[in-house]
Amino acid sequence: MSIFNETLTSLHEGLVNKEFSSVELTQAAFKRIAETDGKVEAFLALNEEGALKQAQAADEKGYADGNVLNGIPLGIKDNIVTEGVTTTAASRMLGDFMPIYDATVVTKLKQAGAVNVGKLNMDEFAMGGSTENSYYKKTKNAWDLTKVPGGSSGGSAAAVASGEVVASLGSDTGGSIRQPAAFNGIVGMKPTYGRVSRYGLIAFASSLDQIGPMTRNVTDNALLLEAISGYDAKDSTSMKLEVPKFSANLNGNVAGMKIALPKEYFQEGVSAEIQEAVRKAAAQFEEMGATVEEVSMPTLAYGIPAYYIIASSEASSNLQRFDGVRYGYRAENVNSLDELYIKSRSEGFGMEVKRRIMLGSFSLSAGFYDAYFKKAGQVRTLIKRDFANIFAGYDLILGPTTTTTAFGIGEKNDDPLAMYMDDLLTVTINLAGVPAISVPGGFSADGMPIGIQLIGNYFEEAKIYQAAFALEQANDYLDQHPNL
């Protein structure tokens, strides 16, 4: 069976009606992975034995409780720890790391009966926008194998887009769920900071990282976010808030909504095709009864420098623990403790990780802290103020997810600054901590997917889903699949 035309709900109905079992569904997922992953290279590790045991347990439990995730095979990004399944963060540094516990989101999925089929490729330690920085392999875009899938959650996006799994988990530090979702023509949600527990997520930048769902449609995305959200005492940044029924009001009604359209999103560097797709989406919202008005977000231009200073500074601090002594890669043939540190980190980390550690260490160093890290924090406050000013008068912000569609493999490897600038439209959301989603918004002239971004106020994911569902229903983008 193929899951291209299936959803969490339709698969659940099939399990309830005994059209197939979870074991059969999981076997079908592994068959699809065997057929396609040699081309796409989305998975780093498969969990066949464990997945089939989970599927058998789901079948034995039955499906009378109405839990739509029960018995459904999913993929997990490889920086989310999974007990008994390798978790490498796509780095040589963690090449043999076998966790002895589950991340909170994985525990929640297990409690819901979901089946973990394996771990998905990513940029090393989530640092990158193309999944070319993995130590192990380069994941391809399912729509065009010569192009990147985006990053850092490129494996999570490509696995869904290629029909290997119906849904996956990614993490988003500066756009790492939304950008690959846009590049692969799927739905990706970055929740409000604090909505989903970060316990068990290998940290890149602790004040920015959030785990979120990646799916083919909006309803599935809402259902998956319901399952992984909630307060966690193990995460000091987790918020004590009731989890809404995100999937409850997906009825296509956006009448009366006020939607802001920042004029800064329509600037040089954002492709004409993407600008046109956003304006089409704005017109569709107006036809459905929403009000769309142009606004200004003057701090957008400062998002990239502020983000890379803050994110790199936090990364340099978080990655200090990988020193070759306690766990992780350890260099051989060393003659002193200093040499052990230097060789282990030099050999264990890739070039992009080293680049960001150096940038972060410089920004935090004596004499430069005030000029860089402190100043970036002040800019972050101004960015939050911009969002607050807009949300005082509007329900949502509409814009593009990316400046271009997916670019060619190797195209930007020699120009990291060009790669960083691709995050222009996503990083401010993480700096502010607000939620945002990328939904399919059409295709470019060469057949590559375009993503539309909807941004909401703190903890208003339900409102985002309501508008995203309406946009999804107004179009037929879900009927098109990559030809693998």
Side-chain angles (χ1 to χ4, degrees):
M1 63 178 296
S2 171
I3 64 169
F4 261 141
N5 294 310
E6 302 293 341
T7 66
L8 291 177
T9 303
S10 66
L11 291 175
H12 173 68
E13 289 174 354
L15 290 169
V16 170
N17 296 329
K18 298 186 177 180
E19 297 170 14
F20 46 81
S21 66
S22 177
V23 169
E24 292 170 332
L25 181 58
T26 303
Q27 288 171 335
F30 283 120
K31 182 175 183 292
R32 176 66 179 174
I33 292 168
E35 293 169 347
T36 62
D37 209 59
K39 303 174 187 176
V40 177
E41 297 191 274
F43 279 89
L44 286 179
L46 294 178
N47 180 36
E48 289 197 54
E49 184 178 348
L52 289 171
K53 285 182 180 178
Q54 291 172 348
Q56 185 175 355
D59 287 333
E60 290 173 356
K61 177 185 176 183
Y63 302 97
D65 62 0
N67 187 342
V68 295
L69 290 180
N70 193 21
I72 305 295
L74 306 176
I76 310 292
K77 187 176 179 179
D78 202 35
N79 60 346
I80 300 171
V81 301
T82 45
E83 183 180 4
V85 184
T86 54
T87 303
T88 69
S91 177
R92 185 184 190 187
M93 184 63 79
L94 289 174
D96 59 356
F97 177 48
M98 185 72 73
I100 58 173
Y101 69 100
D102 282 321
T104 295
V105 292
V106 175
T107 299
K108 286 177 175 288
L109 290 179
K110 284 184 175 179
Q111 290 170 346
V115 176
N116 173 20
V117 300
K119 305 303 290 295
L120 293 156
N121 197 25
M122 55 183 283
D123 286 298
E124 182 183 7
F125 284 103
M127 298 181 193
S130 64
T131 314
E132 295 175 283
N133 296 322
S134 169
Y135 175 72
Y136 300 100
K137 59 175 67 172
K138 288 180 172 63
T139 300
K140 317 298 191 301
N141 191 299
W143 293 85
D144 183 340
L145 296 174
T146 69
K147 296 183 184 295
V148 302
S152 62
S153 305
S156 298
V160 174
S162 61
E164 295 179 331
V165 289
V166 71
S168 65
L169 292 186
S171 68
D172 192 311
T173 307
S176 290
I177 286 173
R178 290 159 289 145
Q179 184 246 34
F183 279 4
N184 287 272
I186 65 169
V187 180
M189 166 66 87
K190 180 262 168 194
T192 307
Y193 186 79
R195 170 70 80 187
V196 178
S197 173
R198 294 186 302 107
Y199 179 75
L201 174 68
I202 297 173
F204 165 11
S206 301
S207 75
L208 303 167
D209 300 336
Q210 270 290 275
I211 297 170
M214 307 182 76
T215 60
R216 285 201 61 249
N217 64 51
V218 172
T219 303
D220 282 2
N221 205 275
L223 289 166
L224 189 49
L225 185 59
E226 288 173 15
I228 63 173
S229 295
Y231 173 69
D232 180 15
K234 296 176 182 176
D235 175 9
S236 62
T237 63
S238 178
M239 298 298 290
K240 286 186 177 180
L241 293 172
E242 183 179 347
V243 179
K245 191 82 170 170
F246 298 121
S247 59
N249 295 314
L250 302 183
N251 52 24
N253 181 17
V254 294
M257 271 195 184
K258 292 191 67 178
I259 299 175
L261 190 64
K263 62 182 181 181
E264 288 81 6
Y265 286 163
F266 299 92
Q267 60 176 279
E268 185 179 352
V270 180
S271 83
E273 287 180 307
I274 290 177
Q275 291 188 33
E276 182 182 348
V278 175
R279 295 196 187 280
K280 177 186 174 183
Q284 288 179 320
F285 278 126
E286 288 182 320
E287 289 171 6
M288 291 184 281
T291 300
V292 181
E293 296 177 348
E294 186 177 271
V295 299
S296 181
M297 186 177 285
T299 56
L300 180 71
Y302 307 106
I304 291 289
Y307 169 79
Y308 276 97
I309 289 171
I310 291 170
S312 298
S313 297
E314 294 185 14
S316 71
S317 177
N318 281 326
L319 297 185
Q320 287 184 72
R321 70 195 74 177
F322 301 107
D323 54 12
V325 176
R326 287 160 290 187
Y327 57 90
Y329 176 81
R330 176 180 291 191
E332 298 179 349
N333 303 317
V334 296
N335 299 309
S336 68
L337 186 60
D338 283 348
E339 188 180 0
L340 173 65
Y341 291 157
I342 294 167
K343 287 192 68 176
S344 295
R345 290 170 67 82
S346 296
E347 296 171 9
F349 289 137
M351 186 57 67
E352 182 60 31
V353 174
K354 293 175 188 174
R355 184 180 292 120
R356 298 198 193 194
I357 289 173
M358 292 290 288
L359 174 59
S361 297
F362 173 80
S363 300
L364 293 173
S365 62
F368 297 100
Y369 178 90
D370 286 346
Y372 292 98
F373 187 77
K374 183 179 178 180
K375 186 67 69 178
Q378 292 169 334
V379 171
R380 184 178 194 171
T381 299
L382 295 176
I383 289 170
K384 289 181 179 180
R385 190 178 301 168
D386 260 4
F387 278 107
N389 289 338
I390 292 175
F391 288 128
Y394 296 89
D395 296 296
L396 298 170
I397 298 171
L398 168 67
T401 308
T402 59
T403 57
T404 67
T405 56
F407 48 88
I409 293 171
E411 185 177 322
K412 298 187 179 182
N413 282 354
D414 296 329
D415 192 353
L417 287 179
M419 189 85 77
Y420 295 168
M421 288 306 297
D422 285 340
D423 296 334
L424 173 69
L425 304 171
T426 55
V427 295
T428 54
I429 285 85
N430 298 78
L431 288 167
V434 296
I437 198 170
S438 179
V439 294
F443 296 88
S444 63
D446 61 353
M448 295 306 294
I450 292 172
I452 300 294
Q453 186 168 218
L454 288 165
I455 308 162
N457 206 350
Y458 298 103
F459 300 104
E460 291 192 351
E461 289 89 351
K463 193 177 290 185
I464 295 176
Y465 279 129
Q466 186 178 351
F469 181 80
L471 189 62
E472 180 181 83
Q473 297 305 299
N475 298 288
D476 60 357
Y477 305 135
L478 296 182
D479 296 334
Q480 302 181 53
H481 311 304
N483 183 24
L484 284 170

